[in-house]
Amino acid sequence: LKCEDSHAPGIPVELHPRLAYAAPYAEVYEYLTLRELLGLHLRFRPLYRGLTGEDFLRIAYLEGHEEKLVKTFSSGMKQRLKLALAILTQSEALVLDEPVTNLDSTAKEWYRELIREFNMDRLILIASNETSDFEGAGTLIHLPDFAPRLTL
């Protein structure tokens, strides 16, 4: 993903290393074990503020599942994995689409705690119909307020 830096027109800026993203429909490599997937991820992207792979497993409540294929995870475990990969990856911007989809009430609280703990020095954009996803948000933008009005 590339864009132009407004301070240096014509010079492309790589967005991939600056952005982290999670959505319930975004796929992960399901034919890898959790250990393999995390290892692959860490080859390209560092974790937030020096966290380790062991920290990741502990924080994501995925300890003991390292040797399991991701395809064997429940939908809730997969969503927790995707959220942890995005939230715990060092980034300037974090984009989350419908983050609590497939999460039970305990995992929803886990998600809210992650957002509270790992929100420093980055922009977090959350797209959701679930109002609880926005707890602790500094600014809320209700998109329909900006949509053009149709008159018949």
Side-chain angles (χ1 to χ4, degrees):
L1 200 57
K2 291 184 181 186
C3 72
E4 285 192 5
D5 187 333
S6 61
H7 301 291
I11 299 175
V13 176
E14 292 289 337
L15 290 180
H16 181 265
R18 304 170 92 176
L19 177 73
Y21 172 77
Y25 51 81
E27 296 297 328
V28 293
Y29 295 108
E30 293 195 336
Y31 287 94
L32 295 177
T33 65
L34 174 57
R35 183 179 309 283
E36 292 167 334
L37 179 65
L38 183 56
L40 179 64
H41 182 81
L42 293 176
R43 288 186 64 196
F44 296 97
R45 301 291 304 273
L47 293 177
Y48 193 86
R49 296 191 174 183
L51 292 173
T52 65
E54 291 77 27
D55 295 329
F56 176 93
L57 294 170
R58 179 182 44 76
I59 293 167
Y61 293 103
L62 292 169
E63 291 172 306
H65 300 283
E66 297 90 340
E67 303 310 321
K68 293 180 182 175
L69 291 176
V70 173
K71 76 175 192 164
T72 67
F73 288 8
S74 69
S75 59
M77 286 177 72
K78 287 178 187 175
Q79 181 65 0
R80 210 167 63 236
L81 171 61
K82 293 173 197 178
L83 287 170
L85 284 170
I87 296 168
L88 299 177
T89 292
Q90 185 65 45
S91 66
E92 294 173 32
L94 172 61
V95 178
L96 304 173
D97 188 10
E98 300 291 344
V100 299
T101 298
N102 298 321
L103 297 182
D104 62 20
S105 59
T106 302
K108 287 178 183 180
E109 184 53 40
W110 165 84
Y111 156 77
R112 287 190 280 279
E113 181 59 34
L114 276 188
I115 293 296
R116 282 190 291 271
E117 188 172 344
F118 298 99
N119 67 5
M120 302 303 291
D121 303 322
R122 63 175 160 182
L123 171 69
I124 301 175
L125 298 172
I126 302 168
S128 181
N129 295 312
E130 190 80 36
T131 57
S132 65
D133 288 356
F134 307 119
E135 285 180 18
T139 303
L140 292 178
I141 300 171
H142 189 246
L143 291 181
D145 294 345
F146 295 92
R149 302 288 186 241
L150 296 177
T151 56
L152 299 174

